[in-house]
Amino acid sequence: MLSSIEPALLVDLGSLYVRFAIERLPGVFSESRTLQCADYPDFASALKDYLSTLDASEVRHAAIATPGPIAGDLVRMVNYPWQFSVEETRQATGLETLVAVNDFTALAMGIPSLQPEQFRKIGRGEPQAREVIGLVGPGTGLGVSGLIPEDHGWVSLGSEGGHADFSPQSETEIYLLQYAWKRYPHVSAERLLSAAGIEMIYQALCERVGYSGAALPAPEISRRAVQGNDPISTESLNVFCEVLGSVAANLALTLGAFGGIYIGGGIVPRLGEYFDRSGFRARFEAKGRYQNYVAQIPTFLITAESATLLGTANILRAQLRHRAGASTLLDRVRRAHASLSAAKRRVAEVVLTQPRSVLNDPIVEIARLAKVSQPTVVRFCRSVGCEGLSDFKLKLASGLTGTIPLTHTKVARDDPIRELSTKVIDNTVSAVLRVRDQLNGEAVERAIGRLLKAQRIEFYGFGNYAVVAQDAHYKFLRFGVPTAAYSDGRMAAMAASALGKSDLVVAITGSGKPADLLEAVDIALSRGAEVISLAPSHSPLAKRSSVSIAIDHPEDVEIHIPMISRILYLVVVDILAVGVAMRGVPVMADNGDASASSATKDDTRRKDYTRLISHSG
């Protein structure tokens, strides 16, 4: 458990600035420092710079709050080109614990710790104790979250609700929706409820009245509105507040948030009493038959500047309490030390003195350090309740960091079959999760769009990847689209020479370099066909392709069978197939009975989609 005398490092990582602070007493922050992201090449550099101002041994535990979803070990910032591994950053900075959380989840977890002077009530309604709480806050984007009470605290909801559809409630808002549609294929609530949203509202209202003045930044629009000396700015901010009222009420209805709806983010707290007088609360209660229902729900404006840090600290303390309350593997090793044999004690001493190295070292290195045989290392792992070395490392990692990092454990030729099986499965799961975190959604979306338009699809996969091409061929053949799979370079080249502008090649390779595959792809491109590649990023094939879906996973060079990457490619093929099924199959030329009704054809396609999805994977 994190005590009041053990400092914790808390980080609020935004799109322009990163704020650091130390918590020495619960809810009390000191040594606060704000750095500009643009001054550093990556997050680790900014973190090291801040840590250099402290006693290096003083801080052992840290937590980061950042925008966007947190999945696995990789943090990819939404509005700034930084991405980093949590575990690699922890190791590089010498921290014992490093936790990453979504910034709005952190803000939500800070709400129960807010003092009365740190928030302000807007309108009527009274909160009910131990009821669901909702949170919404516009800033660079629109954050949405919630808190659900449990026996000993709260469970926060991870949400991207800011990207739900914008629903206009007035003629002015209908005009704004039509204005936004000219620029964006999908208009979410965030398009209006953000700094960029205020600017777009202002530009749209200027255009409606024929005013051609210069575009204004959101802070200036807000300043003019608050001062009341610019009618268009005033109307823009009024619309902003009213739309926020609708979105907040939708959240209240969805969650049944009788604990209250809290407003956070970087915009509204700066509006002062203007927000209290705005149409926010009136719009919040404008829910027709459910007006009385939402009128009972109070709304609060969070005014505390440190609310996100407060929630981040709460999350970190909860993780450390959980770890302290559980029997960690290192504690188990310490207790068992005296009862172990001499050889197993030497392994235990290596684990206790070098736990971080043990996480990454192969069994041969652990055995060398302990001066024992490799089977002795395995027997030691089993003596402390683990099934083998892989299981031991996973539990050790969880005890050290509070999370299970994505790692790759080398398979040794003399591994017992249980150990070998566990390593292969764990390595595959780890690799799939890493691909999930790194997969480029935009590239996948473009690939699905091209697959939907293609009149003919050919899959080229040679060697170990021939089975992936064949699998893709079977999946897409169910759509009624002419498809073929080629695993021979000469046949692929001949087939490519017969393609045309409405055709598509999906090229699949683990290296991105086979000369015969590149030759076939070049022929297809010369014929006007498009090429989607499933290959490592920056490979020759990826650079040639119309759309490149990067799959980066190095195989164990000592084992020549691609144990993992082939599975990764099969998973990506499944993503494309299900994406095509869900987006709708392209309408092919009808060679059947011309009297068949379109309704019957549509029903057949829907059944095909269902069969494909139920069999996928």
Side-chain angles (χ1 to χ4, degrees):
M1 178 177 178
L2 186 65
S3 68
S4 60
I5 61 171
E6 184 174 17
L9 169 61
L10 306 170
V11 185
D12 186 358
L13 178 55
S15 57
L16 297 176
Y17 299 94
V18 53
R19 180 187 176 193
F20 299 95
I22 301 294
E23 184 190 42
R24 300 179 186 281
L25 295 170
V28 180
F29 307 110
S30 60
E31 285 112 314
S32 180
R33 186 179 173 198
T34 300
L35 304 178
Q36 220 171 355
C37 295
D39 291 340
Y40 298 88
D42 50 43
F43 170 68
S45 300
L47 177 55
K48 289 177 182 178
D49 186 12
Y50 177 76
L51 288 173
S52 68
T53 65
L54 306 174
D55 180 351
S57 62
E58 187 181 26
V59 177
R60 297 190 301 135
H61 308 294
I64 308 164
T66 186
I70 305 294
D73 180 65
L74 183 70
V75 174
R76 182 184 285 114
M77 293 183 63
V78 177
N79 295 312
Y80 197 76
W82 275 359
Q83 67 177 40
F84 56 90
S85 158
V86 176
E87 177 61 13
E88 289 176 3
T89 304
R90 184 199 62 74
Q91 292 182 13
T93 52
L95 291 166
E96 188 172 308
T97 306
L98 183 60
V99 176
V101 298
N102 172 267
D103 62 342
F104 235 69
T105 299
L107 181 58
M109 289 300 290
I111 290 174
S113 300
L114 291 174
Q115 300 301 309
E117 67 273 12
Q118 293 180 308
F119 60 91
R120 185 169 74 248
K121 187 179 176 186
I122 309 294
R124 55 181 175 168
E126 294 298 330
Q128 297 181 21
R130 304 301 295 169
E131 288 287 345
V132 174
I133 292 172
L135 171 66
V136 59
T140 306
L142 178 64
V144 175
S145 186
L147 288 175
I148 299 174
E150 63 169 359
D151 291 342
H152 303 292
W154 299 84
V155 175
S156 61
L157 299 177
S159 166
E160 290 297 325
H163 297 284
D165 297 342
F166 164 59
S167 178
Q169 299 296 311
S170 68
E171 289 186 6
T172 297
E173 291 171 20
I174 291 173
Y175 174 80
L176 291 173
L177 177 60
Q178 293 171 336
Y179 179 90
W181 265 338
K182 298 175 185 177
R183 291 155 177 79
Y184 309 109
H186 173 247
V187 181
S188 64
E190 184 177 273
R191 291 295 186 191
L192 282 79
L193 297 180
S194 60
I198 292 176
E199 294 167 3
M200 187 189 74
I201 293 171
Y202 179 82
Q203 292 162 11
L205 296 181
C206 285
E207 183 177 292
R208 186 172 65 166
V209 299
Y211 176 67
S212 58
L216 296 177
E220 178 61 18
I221 297 169
S222 300
R223 186 188 68 79
R224 293 186 181 192
V226 171
Q227 292 181 349
N229 56 12
D230 181 351
I232 297 180
S233 292
T234 299
E235 185 180 3
S236 300
L237 202 58
N238 282 342
V239 169
F240 172 87
C241 294
E242 290 174 355
V243 172
L244 180 57
S246 291
V247 170
N250 289 342
L251 181 62
L253 289 169
T254 301
L255 296 180
F258 285 97
I261 294 290
Y262 286 75
I263 308 299
I267 295 176
V268 179
R270 292 186 172 91
L271 300 182
E273 294 182 0
Y274 178 94
F275 183 71
D276 301 40
R277 302 190 305 269
S278 73
F280 165 80
R281 182 68 197 192
R283 180 66 73 83
F284 181 86
E285 296 185 15
K287 286 299 179 185
R289 292 171 295 165
Y290 274 75
Q291 179 174 347
N292 292 334
Y293 180 94
V294 293
Q296 305 171 60
I297 298 175
T299 48
F300 302 96
L301 175 62
I302 298 173
T303 57
E305 292 184 0
S306 57
T308 299
L309 292 181
L310 189 63
T312 307
N314 288 343
I315 292 171
L316 178 58
R317 281 200 298 274
Q319 285 226 10
L320 294 173
R321 277 196 301 270
H322 174 74
R323 190 199 309 173
S327 177
T328 67
L329 186 56
L330 284 177
D331 291 337
R332 215 181 304 165
V333 171
R334 290 188 187 99
R335 288 196 301 270
H337 184 272
S339 62
L340 296 173
S341 67
K344 290 179 183 177
R345 274 202 304 272
R346 289 199 294 273
V347 181
E349 287 159 6
V350 170
V351 171
L352 292 172
T353 57
Q354 305 177 48
R356 302 289 178 191
S357 296
V358 170
L359 276 180
N360 300 304
D361 286 344
I363 189 172
V364 63
E365 179 62 16
I366 297 170
R368 186 190 68 79
L369 291 171
K371 299 179 181 178
V372 298
S373 66
Q374 294 179 35
T376 298
V377 174
V378 176
R379 286 194 291 269
F380 160 78
C381 295
R382 290 172 180 161
S383 69
V384 291
C386 299
E387 295 183 356
L389 182 59
S390 294
D391 185 40
F392 180 87
K393 287 187 175 184
L394 287 173
K395 290 175 179 175
L396 176 62
S398 181
L400 289 173
T401 66
T403 61
I404 297 177
L406 303 179
T407 60
H408 181 89
T409 305
K410 187 174 181 180
V411 178
R413 298 183 185 277
D414 56 352
D415 278 342
I417 192 63
R418 177 69 182 179
E419 181 82 1
L420 181 147
S421 302
T422 300
K423 284 182 178 179
V424 171
I425 293 172
D426 289 347
N427 289 345
T428 302
V429 170
S430 175
V432 170
L433 292 175
R434 188 175 294 278
V435 167
R436 179 199 65 182
D437 293 340
Q438 297 177 346
L439 197 63
N440 186 322
E442 293 182 2
V444 173
E445 191 71 51
R446 292 199 304 273
I448 291 171
R450 284 165 167 78
L451 287 164
L452 284 167
K453 294 177 183 178
Q455 295 297 305
R456 177 178 177 80
I457 304 171
E458 294 188 348
F459 299 93
Y460 299 168
F462 304 163
N464 288 312
Y465 297 90
V467 66
V468 181
Q470 197 67 46
D471 178 76
H473 167 53
Y474 291 149
K475 282 186 169 69
F476 280 81
L477 196 59
R478 295 175 186 167
F479 295 135
V481 181
T483 64
Y486 296 99
S487 57
D488 176 80
R490 183 173 299 178
M491 291 297 295
M494 292 173 61
S497 66
L499 297 178
K501 293 182 178 179
S502 59
D503 301 328
L504 177 69
V505 168
V506 180
I508 305 165
T509 169
S511 68
K513 299 177 182 178
D516 47 357
L517 180 59
L518 295 176
E519 179 185 359
V521 164
D522 287 340
I523 293 171
L525 290 170
S526 70
R527 298 285 299 169
E530 291 193 290
V531 174
I532 296 171
S533 66
L534 275 57
S537 57
H538 309 298
S539 64
L541 177 60
K543 294 176 182 177
R544 282 171 162 80
S545 306
S546 311
V547 178
S548 172
I549 299 178
I551 305 175
D552 295 308
H553 179 78
E555 292 288 359
D556 188 336
V557 296
E558 295 183 10
I559 305 296
H560 297 293
I561 301 172
M563 296 188 296
I564 295 176
S565 62
R566 190 164 52 192
I567 294 175
L568 301 181
Y569 282 72
L570 288 168
V571 169
V572 173
V573 166
D574 269 7
I575 292 170
L576 294 176
V578 174
V580 167
M582 299 304 292
R583 296 292 192 272
V585 174
V587 179
M588 303 302 298
D590 185 10
N591 296 321
D593 185 355
S595 65
S597 70
S598 61
T600 302
K601 296 175 189 174
D602 289 344
D603 184 60
T604 301
R605 287 193 182 99
R606 280 193 290 271
K607 292 177 180 177
D608 287 342
Y609 302 163
T610 304
R611 282 199 299 272
L612 174 74
I613 295 170
S614 65
H615 288 20
S616 178

